[in-house]
Amino acid sequence: MSRRDQYLEVLGIDQWRTRSPAPAASVVARPVPVPVPAPVRAVLHQSAAAPAREAANPALWQALREEVSVCTRCELARGRTQTVFGVGDTRAELLVIGEAPGVDEDRQGEPFVGRAGQLLNSMLRAMGHPRETVYIANVLKCRPPGNRDPRPEESASCRPFLQRQLELLRPRLILAVGRIAAQNLLETDTPIGRLRGQVHRFGAGALPLIVTYHPAYLLRSPGEKRKAWIDLKFVRQELARLRQQPLAALS
Ligand code: SF4
């Protein structure tokens, strides 16, 4: 069994593949990229002169990290053990955005640890983009008590930090993980099932954004892993396509 198949088995996708003899192409075919609107094409064209992918000044990352670490802009500052800034390759072309730190993340200071984090790692590795090659952050940098959903004012307070991370990272693609992150970033209440399978646009730079399920949800609902795998293949396909284009400007 190949290493990739081993990861797919971890995801619980191996059995599904065995039961479903349909060619892989039919699986990939569902999520058809949406046509890029003219304004977005214009932005992409304007960015042709953008510098080649390279890490932003480490001092800028460090300054932002330190600013976040002492932030008291919202009431979540009072209950946190520490802020959870983000982790990964600062030259990454893929930015994974989750909802908010949970208990484990608050304790360790890193997003997506624990069982959900392990599953996310397997998903990323199966997709061909291991954790160490992407950047991972959350909408919120502090843990909401009792793992409740973020409140609008908390998300609004924290959004500038995510925006500055985006400006430093300049990813080609965002993968929004889970309903809360997807709805928050896209400012919609559309169910996640209807947000999947298409390329959305995020922020002033109209960055491509794809939605998939949160690994914690997949642990509770393993039957949905097949859909998550379709999403990941869509991400891989889109990244390959986007590499042929200049990076979009962020502002
Ligand atoms: S959640 Fe964000 S805005 Fe609120 S205190 Fe933490 S870092 Fe600041």
Side-chain angles (χ1 to χ4, degrees), residues 118-147:
Q118 288 170 13
L119 179 54
L120 178 69
N121 293 348
S122 296
M123 294 165 65
L124 292 171
R125 191 168 293 278
M127 184 173 57
H129 295 269
R131 181 180 178 105
E132 61 272 18
T133 68
V134 307
Y135 197 87
I136 305 174
N138 282 316
V139 170
L140 291 185
K141 312 306 185 197
C142 301
R143 181 177 80 93
N147 284 343

PDB file of all heavy atoms in Angstrom, residues 118-147:
ATOM      1  N   GLN A 118      -4.759  15.958  14.493  1.00  0.00           N
ATOM      2  CA  GLN A 118      -4.132  14.792  13.864  1.00  0.00           C
ATOM      3  C   GLN A 118      -4.862  14.408  12.583  1.00  0.00           C
ATOM      4  O   GLN A 118      -4.249  14.040  11.572  1.00  0.00           O
ATOM      5  CB  GLN A 118      -4.115  13.621  14.842  1.00  0.00           C
ATOM      6  CG  GLN A 118      -3.112  13.811  15.976  1.00  0.00           C
ATOM      7  CD  GLN A 118      -3.271  12.774  17.061  1.00  0.00           C
ATOM      8  OE1 GLN A 118      -3.964  11.769  16.885  1.00  0.00           O
ATOM      9  NE2 GLN A 118      -2.641  13.004  18.199  1.00  0.00           N
ATOM     10  N   LEU A 119      -6.191  14.504  12.632  1.00  0.00           N
ATOM     11  CA  LEU A 119      -6.946  14.183  11.421  1.00  0.00           C
ATOM     12  C   LEU A 119      -6.678  15.233  10.338  1.00  0.00           C
ATOM     13  O   LEU A 119      -6.514  14.886   9.159  1.00  0.00           O
ATOM     14  CB  LEU A 119      -8.445  14.102  11.726  1.00  0.00           C
ATOM     15  CG  LEU A 119      -9.348  13.794  10.529  1.00  0.00           C
ATOM     16  CD1 LEU A 119      -8.894  12.521   9.810  1.00  0.00           C
ATOM     17  CD2 LEU A 119     -10.804  13.675  10.961  1.00  0.00           C
ATOM     18  N   LEU A 120      -6.629  16.498  10.730  1.00  0.00           N
ATOM     19  CA  LEU A 120      -6.297  17.530   9.744  1.00  0.00           C
ATOM     20  C   LEU A 120      -4.932  17.250   9.127  1.00  0.00           C
ATOM     21  O   LEU A 120      -4.756  17.364   7.900  1.00  0.00           O
ATOM     22  CB  LEU A 120      -6.300  18.915  10.386  1.00  0.00           C
ATOM     23  CG  LEU A 120      -5.911  20.054   9.433  1.00  0.00           C
ATOM     24  CD1 LEU A 120      -6.989  20.265   8.370  1.00  0.00           C
ATOM     25  CD2 LEU A 120      -5.657  21.358  10.177  1.00  0.00           C
ATOM     26  N   ASN A 121      -3.971  16.859   9.948  1.00  0.00           N
ATOM     27  CA  ASN A 121      -2.643  16.539   9.419  1.00  0.00           C
ATOM     28  C   ASN A 121      -2.715  15.432   8.380  1.00  0.00           C
ATOM     29  O   ASN A 121      -2.063  15.488   7.336  1.00  0.00           O
ATOM     30  CB  ASN A 121      -1.701  16.132  10.553  1.00  0.00           C
ATOM     31  CG  ASN A 121      -1.405  17.292  11.499  1.00  0.00           C
ATOM     32  OD1 ASN A 121      -1.715  18.437  11.200  1.00  0.00           O
ATOM     33  ND2 ASN A 121      -0.816  16.974  12.644  1.00  0.00           N
ATOM     34  N   SER A 122      -3.506  14.399   8.676  1.00  0.00           N
ATOM     35  CA  SER A 122      -3.650  13.290   7.728  1.00  0.00           C
ATOM     36  C   SER A 122      -4.315  13.765   6.443  1.00  0.00           C
ATOM     37  O   SER A 122      -3.939  13.352   5.344  1.00  0.00           O
ATOM     38  CB  SER A 122      -4.481  12.167   8.356  1.00  0.00           C
ATOM     39  OG  SER A 122      -3.819  11.633   9.472  1.00  0.00           O
ATOM     40  N   MET A 123      -5.306  14.622   6.595  1.00  0.00           N
ATOM     41  CA  MET A 123      -6.002  15.141   5.415  1.00  0.00           C
ATOM     42  C   MET A 123      -5.039  15.939   4.540  1.00  0.00           C
ATOM     43  O   MET A 123      -5.005  15.779   3.314  1.00  0.00           O
ATOM     44  CB  MET A 123      -7.176  16.020   5.864  1.00  0.00           C
ATOM     45  CG  MET A 123      -8.272  15.257   6.581  1.00  0.00           C
ATOM     46  SD  MET A 123      -9.422  16.341   7.480  1.00  0.00           S
ATOM     47  CE  MET A 123     -10.198  17.256   6.154  1.00  0.00           C
ATOM     48  N   LEU A 124      -4.260  16.804   5.183  1.00  0.00           N
ATOM     49  CA  LEU A 124      -3.329  17.639   4.430  1.00  0.00           C
ATOM     50  C   LEU A 124      -2.274  16.789   3.739  1.00  0.00           C
ATOM     51  O   LEU A 124      -1.907  17.022   2.580  1.00  0.00           O
ATOM     52  CB  LEU A 124      -2.662  18.660   5.363  1.00  0.00           C
ATOM     53  CG  LEU A 124      -3.581  19.749   5.934  1.00  0.00           C
ATOM     54  CD1 LEU A 124      -2.849  20.544   7.011  1.00  0.00           C
ATOM     55  CD2 LEU A 124      -4.059  20.686   4.832  1.00  0.00           C
ATOM     56  N   ARG A 125      -1.782  15.786   4.459  1.00  0.00           N
ATOM     57  CA  ARG A 125      -0.748  14.935   3.884  1.00  0.00           C
ATOM     58  C   ARG A 125      -1.307  14.118   2.721  1.00  0.00           C
ATOM     59  O   ARG A 125      -0.662  13.961   1.680  1.00  0.00           O
ATOM     60  CB  ARG A 125      -0.154  14.017   4.965  1.00  0.00           C
ATOM     61  CG  ARG A 125       1.104  13.297   4.527  1.00  0.00           C
ATOM     62  CD  ARG A 125       1.803  12.638   5.703  1.00  0.00           C
ATOM     63  NE  ARG A 125       2.333  13.607   6.649  1.00  0.00           N
ATOM     64  CZ  ARG A 125       3.501  14.233   6.504  1.00  0.00           C
ATOM     65  NH1 ARG A 125       4.248  13.991   5.454  1.00  0.00           N
ATOM     66  NH2 ARG A 125       3.923  15.092   7.405  1.00  0.00           N
ATOM     67  N   ALA A 126      -2.533  13.636   2.874  1.00  0.00           N
ATOM     68  CA  ALA A 126      -3.161  12.880   1.782  1.00  0.00           C
ATOM     69  C   ALA A 126      -3.334  13.758   0.550  1.00  0.00           C
ATOM     70  O   ALA A 126      -3.255  13.291  -0.584  1.00  0.00           O
ATOM     71  CB  ALA A 126      -4.518  12.345   2.250  1.00  0.00           C
ATOM     72  N   MET A 127      -3.553  15.043   0.786  1.00  0.00           N
ATOM     73  CA  MET A 127      -3.744  15.974  -0.319  1.00  0.00           C
ATOM     74  C   MET A 127      -2.424  16.319  -0.988  1.00  0.00           C
ATOM     75  O   MET A 127      -2.383  16.894  -2.077  1.00  0.00           O
ATOM     76  CB  MET A 127      -4.414  17.240   0.234  1.00  0.00           C
ATOM     77  CG  MET A 127      -4.765  18.272  -0.796  1.00  0.00           C
ATOM     78  SD  MET A 127      -5.718  19.630  -0.097  1.00  0.00           S
ATOM     79  CE  MET A 127      -4.651  20.230   1.191  1.00  0.00           C
ATOM     80  N   GLY A 128      -1.319  15.975  -0.325  1.00  0.00           N
ATOM     81  CA  GLY A 128      -0.010  16.303  -0.881  1.00  0.00           C
ATOM     82  C   GLY A 128       0.538  17.615  -0.378  1.00  0.00           C
ATOM     83  O   GLY A 128       1.506  18.159  -0.922  1.00  0.00           O
ATOM     84  N   HIS A 129      -0.092  18.185   0.653  1.00  0.00           N
ATOM     85  CA  HIS A 129       0.374  19.439   1.253  1.00  0.00           C
ATOM     86  C   HIS A 129       0.489  19.243   2.758  1.00  0.00           C
ATOM     87  O   HIS A 129      -0.382  19.682   3.514  1.00  0.00           O
ATOM     88  CB  HIS A 129      -0.588  20.584   0.935  1.00  0.00           C
ATOM     89  CG  HIS A 129      -0.658  20.936  -0.514  1.00  0.00           C
ATOM     90  ND1 HIS A 129       0.156  21.882  -1.085  1.00  0.00           N
ATOM     91  CD2 HIS A 129      -1.407  20.440  -1.520  1.00  0.00           C
ATOM     92  CE1 HIS A 129      -0.108  21.975  -2.384  1.00  0.00           C
ATOM     93  NE2 HIS A 129      -1.056  21.113  -2.665  1.00  0.00           N
ATOM     94  N   PRO A 130       1.546  18.572   3.222  1.00  0.00           N
ATOM     95  CA  PRO A 130       1.684  18.278   4.651  1.00  0.00           C
ATOM     96  C   PRO A 130       1.652  19.541   5.500  1.00  0.00           C
ATOM     97  O   PRO A 130       1.951  20.635   5.017  1.00  0.00           O
ATOM     98  CB  PRO A 130       3.060  17.605   4.736  1.00  0.00           C
ATOM     99  CG  PRO A 130       3.407  17.202   3.358  1.00  0.00           C
ATOM    100  CD  PRO A 130       2.671  18.101   2.424  1.00  0.00           C
ATOM    101  N   ARG A 131       1.309  19.346   6.747  1.00  0.00           N
ATOM    102  CA  ARG A 131       1.125  20.473   7.683  1.00  0.00           C
ATOM    103  C   ARG A 131       2.274  21.460   7.648  1.00  0.00           C
ATOM    104  O   ARG A 131       2.068  22.670   7.686  1.00  0.00           O
ATOM    105  CB  ARG A 131       0.943  19.908   9.099  1.00  0.00           C
ATOM    106  CG  ARG A 131       0.717  20.972  10.176  1.00  0.00           C
ATOM    107  CD  ARG A 131       0.559  20.329  11.547  1.00  0.00           C
ATOM    108  NE  ARG A 131       0.390  21.313  12.603  1.00  0.00           N
ATOM    109  CZ  ARG A 131      -0.766  21.597  13.221  1.00  0.00           C
ATOM    110  NH1 ARG A 131      -1.849  20.951  12.875  1.00  0.00           N
ATOM    111  NH2 ARG A 131      -0.827  22.484  14.179  1.00  0.00           N
ATOM    112  N   GLU A 132       3.502  20.950   7.574  1.00  0.00           N
ATOM    113  CA  GLU A 132       4.643  21.853   7.646  1.00  0.00           C
ATOM    114  C   GLU A 132       4.802  22.714   6.392  1.00  0.00           C
ATOM    115  O   GLU A 132       5.613  23.647   6.382  1.00  0.00           O
ATOM    116  CB  GLU A 132       5.930  21.064   7.911  1.00  0.00           C
ATOM    117  CG  GLU A 132       6.293  20.053   6.838  1.00  0.00           C
ATOM    118  CD  GLU A 132       5.653  18.680   7.080  1.00  0.00           C
ATOM    119  OE1 GLU A 132       4.691  18.600   7.855  1.00  0.00           O
ATOM    120  OE2 GLU A 132       6.140  17.706   6.477  1.00  0.00           O
ATOM    121  N   THR A 133       4.040  22.415   5.348  1.00  0.00           N
ATOM    122  CA  THR A 133       4.163  23.198   4.110  1.00  0.00           C
ATOM    123  C   THR A 133       3.042  24.213   3.950  1.00  0.00           C
ATOM    124  O   THR A 133       3.031  24.962   2.967  1.00  0.00           O
ATOM    125  CB  THR A 133       4.166  22.274   2.876  1.00  0.00           C
ATOM    126  OG1 THR A 133       2.873  21.684   2.730  1.00  0.00           O
ATOM    127  CG2 THR A 133       5.220  21.201   3.001  1.00  0.00           C
ATOM    128  N   VAL A 134       2.077  24.225   4.857  1.00  0.00           N
ATOM    129  CA  VAL A 134       0.975  25.182   4.767  1.00  0.00           C
ATOM    130  C   VAL A 134       1.057  26.125   5.978  1.00  0.00           C
ATOM    131  O   VAL A 134       1.899  25.940   6.861  1.00  0.00           O
ATOM    132  CB  VAL A 134      -0.396  24.466   4.736  1.00  0.00           C
ATOM    133  CG1 VAL A 134      -0.415  23.409   3.653  1.00  0.00           C
ATOM    134  CG2 VAL A 134      -0.732  23.838   6.089  1.00  0.00           C
ATOM    135  N   TYR A 135       0.197  27.121   5.997  1.00  0.00           N
ATOM    136  CA  TYR A 135       0.089  27.957   7.186  1.00  0.00           C
ATOM    137  C   TYR A 135      -1.305  27.761   7.759  1.00  0.00           C
ATOM    138  O   TYR A 135      -2.291  27.668   7.010  1.00  0.00           O
ATOM    139  CB  TYR A 135       0.343  29.433   6.869  1.00  0.00           C
ATOM    140  CG  TYR A 135       0.648  30.226   8.116  1.00  0.00           C
ATOM    141  CD1 TYR A 135       1.952  30.311   8.589  1.00  0.00           C
ATOM    142  CD2 TYR A 135      -0.365  30.835   8.858  1.00  0.00           C
ATOM    143  CE1 TYR A 135       2.248  30.999   9.762  1.00  0.00           C
ATOM    144  CE2 TYR A 135      -0.080  31.519  10.018  1.00  0.00           C
ATOM    145  CZ  TYR A 135       1.224  31.597  10.470  1.00  0.00           C
ATOM    146  OH  TYR A 135       1.506  32.260  11.644  1.00  0.00           O
ATOM    147  N   ILE A 136      -1.392  27.656   9.080  1.00  0.00           N
ATOM    148  CA  ILE A 136      -2.667  27.373   9.741  1.00  0.00           C
ATOM    149  C   ILE A 136      -2.954  28.463  10.764  1.00  0.00           C
ATOM    150  O   ILE A 136      -2.096  28.792  11.598  1.00  0.00           O
ATOM    151  CB  ILE A 136      -2.637  25.996  10.445  1.00  0.00           C
ATOM    152  CG1 ILE A 136      -2.243  24.898   9.443  1.00  0.00           C
ATOM    153  CG2 ILE A 136      -3.982  25.677  11.070  1.00  0.00           C
ATOM    154  CD1 ILE A 136      -2.054  23.529  10.078  1.00  0.00           C
ATOM    155  N   ALA A 137      -4.137  29.007  10.683  1.00  0.00           N
ATOM    156  CA  ALA A 137      -4.534  30.054  11.631  1.00  0.00           C
ATOM    157  C   ALA A 137      -6.025  29.900  11.925  1.00  0.00           C
ATOM    158  O   ALA A 137      -6.719  29.091  11.302  1.00  0.00           O
ATOM    159  CB  ALA A 137      -4.244  31.434  11.056  1.00  0.00           C
ATOM    160  N   ASN A 138      -6.493  30.686  12.857  1.00  0.00           N
ATOM    161  CA  ASN A 138      -7.909  30.681  13.198  1.00  0.00           C
ATOM    162  C   ASN A 138      -8.495  32.072  13.018  1.00  0.00           C
ATOM    163  O   ASN A 138      -7.772  33.081  13.028  1.00  0.00           O
ATOM    164  CB  ASN A 138      -8.108  30.263  14.666  1.00  0.00           C
ATOM    165  CG  ASN A 138      -7.977  28.765  14.857  1.00  0.00           C
ATOM    166  OD1 ASN A 138      -8.508  27.977  14.079  1.00  0.00           O
ATOM    167  ND2 ASN A 138      -7.266  28.374  15.902  1.00  0.00           N
ATOM    168  N   VAL A 139      -9.800  32.117  12.909  1.00  0.00           N
ATOM    169  CA  VAL A 139     -10.494  33.399  12.861  1.00  0.00           C
ATOM    170  C   VAL A 139     -10.255  34.155  14.162  1.00  0.00           C
ATOM    171  O   VAL A 139      -9.994  35.352  14.155  1.00  0.00           O
ATOM    172  CB  VAL A 139     -12.006  33.170  12.627  1.00  0.00           C
ATOM    173  CG1 VAL A 139     -12.779  34.465  12.818  1.00  0.00           C
ATOM    174  CG2 VAL A 139     -12.242  32.592  11.236  1.00  0.00           C
ATOM    175  N   LEU A 140     -10.342  33.447  15.283  1.00  0.00           N
ATOM    176  CA  LEU A 140     -10.080  34.034  16.594  1.00  0.00           C
ATOM    177  C   LEU A 140      -8.757  33.516  17.140  1.00  0.00           C
ATOM    178  O   LEU A 140      -8.440  32.339  16.980  1.00  0.00           O
ATOM    179  CB  LEU A 140     -11.181  33.671  17.596  1.00  0.00           C
ATOM    180  CG  LEU A 140     -12.570  34.263  17.406  1.00  0.00           C
ATOM    181  CD1 LEU A 140     -13.464  33.872  18.566  1.00  0.00           C
ATOM    182  CD2 LEU A 140     -12.499  35.773  17.272  1.00  0.00           C
ATOM    183  N   LYS A 141      -8.042  34.372  17.818  1.00  0.00           N
ATOM    184  CA  LYS A 141      -6.750  33.978  18.396  1.00  0.00           C
ATOM    185  C   LYS A 141      -6.866  33.543  19.854  1.00  0.00           C
ATOM    186  O   LYS A 141      -5.866  33.121  20.446  1.00  0.00           O
ATOM    187  CB  LYS A 141      -5.747  35.140  18.305  1.00  0.00           C
ATOM    188  CG  LYS A 141      -5.657  35.806  16.944  1.00  0.00           C
ATOM    189  CD  LYS A 141      -5.371  34.833  15.820  1.00  0.00           C
ATOM    190  CE  LYS A 141      -5.179  35.565  14.499  1.00  0.00           C
ATOM    191  NZ  LYS A 141      -5.312  34.658  13.337  1.00  0.00           N
ATOM    192  N   CYS A 142      -8.035  33.688  20.432  1.00  0.00           N
ATOM    193  CA  CYS A 142      -8.227  33.290  21.837  1.00  0.00           C
ATOM    194  C   CYS A 142      -9.411  32.340  21.937  1.00  0.00           C
ATOM    195  O   CYS A 142     -10.368  32.434  21.156  1.00  0.00           O
ATOM    196  CB  CYS A 142      -8.478  34.509  22.717  1.00  0.00           C
ATOM    197  SG  CYS A 142      -7.147  35.735  22.685  1.00  0.00           S
ATOM    198  N   ARG A 143      -9.367  31.464  22.931  1.00  0.00           N
ATOM    199  CA  ARG A 143     -10.391  30.429  23.073  1.00  0.00           C
ATOM    200  C   ARG A 143     -11.679  30.992  23.670  1.00  0.00           C
ATOM    201  O   ARG A 143     -11.646  31.575  24.763  1.00  0.00           O
ATOM    202  CB  ARG A 143      -9.887  29.307  23.985  1.00  0.00           C
ATOM    203  CG  ARG A 143     -10.884  28.179  24.174  1.00  0.00           C
ATOM    204  CD  ARG A 143     -10.290  27.091  25.022  1.00  0.00           C
ATOM    205  NE  ARG A 143     -10.341  27.410  26.435  1.00  0.00           N
ATOM    206  CZ  ARG A 143     -11.320  27.042  27.265  1.00  0.00           C
ATOM    207  NH1 ARG A 143     -12.329  26.336  26.804  1.00  0.00           N
ATOM    208  NH2 ARG A 143     -11.278  27.358  28.532  1.00  0.00           N
ATOM    209  N   PRO A 144     -12.793  30.783  22.974  1.00  0.00           N
ATOM    210  CA  PRO A 144     -14.078  31.141  23.587  1.00  0.00           C
ATOM    211  C   PRO A 144     -14.383  30.146  24.705  1.00  0.00           C
ATOM    212  O   PRO A 144     -14.151  28.943  24.551  1.00  0.00           O
ATOM    213  CB  PRO A 144     -15.082  30.990  22.437  1.00  0.00           C
ATOM    214  CG  PRO A 144     -14.260  30.971  21.191  1.00  0.00           C
ATOM    215  CD  PRO A 144     -12.960  30.353  21.578  1.00  0.00           C
ATOM    216  N   PRO A 145     -14.907  30.605  25.836  1.00  0.00           N
ATOM    217  CA  PRO A 145     -15.175  29.695  26.951  1.00  0.00           C
ATOM    218  C   PRO A 145     -16.193  28.628  26.566  1.00  0.00           C
ATOM    219  O   PRO A 145     -17.170  28.903  25.860  1.00  0.00           O
ATOM    220  CB  PRO A 145     -15.730  30.634  28.027  1.00  0.00           C
ATOM    221  CG  PRO A 145     -16.172  31.860  27.302  1.00  0.00           C
ATOM    222  CD  PRO A 145     -15.282  31.988  26.107  1.00  0.00           C
ATOM    223  N   GLY A 146     -15.920  27.413  27.025  1.00  0.00           N
ATOM    224  CA  GLY A 146     -16.851  26.326  26.754  1.00  0.00           C
ATOM    225  C   GLY A 146     -16.952  25.969  25.282  1.00  0.00           C
ATOM    226  O   GLY A 146     -17.905  25.321  24.852  1.00  0.00           O
ATOM    227  N   ASN A 147     -15.973  26.403  24.512  1.00  0.00           N
ATOM    228  CA  ASN A 147     -15.976  26.142  23.068  1.00  0.00           C
ATOM    229  C   ASN A 147     -17.250  26.652  22.384  1.00  0.00           C
ATOM    230  O   ASN A 147     -17.711  26.083  21.398  1.00  0.00           O
ATOM    231  CB  ASN A 147     -15.795  24.646  22.767  1.00  0.00           C
ATOM    232  CG  ASN A 147     -14.364  24.208  22.959  1.00  0.00           C
ATOM    233  OD1 ASN A 147     -13.454  25.033  23.008  1.00  0.00           O
ATOM    234  ND2 ASN A 147     -14.170  22.906  23.104  1.00  0.00           N
TER     235      ASN A 147
END
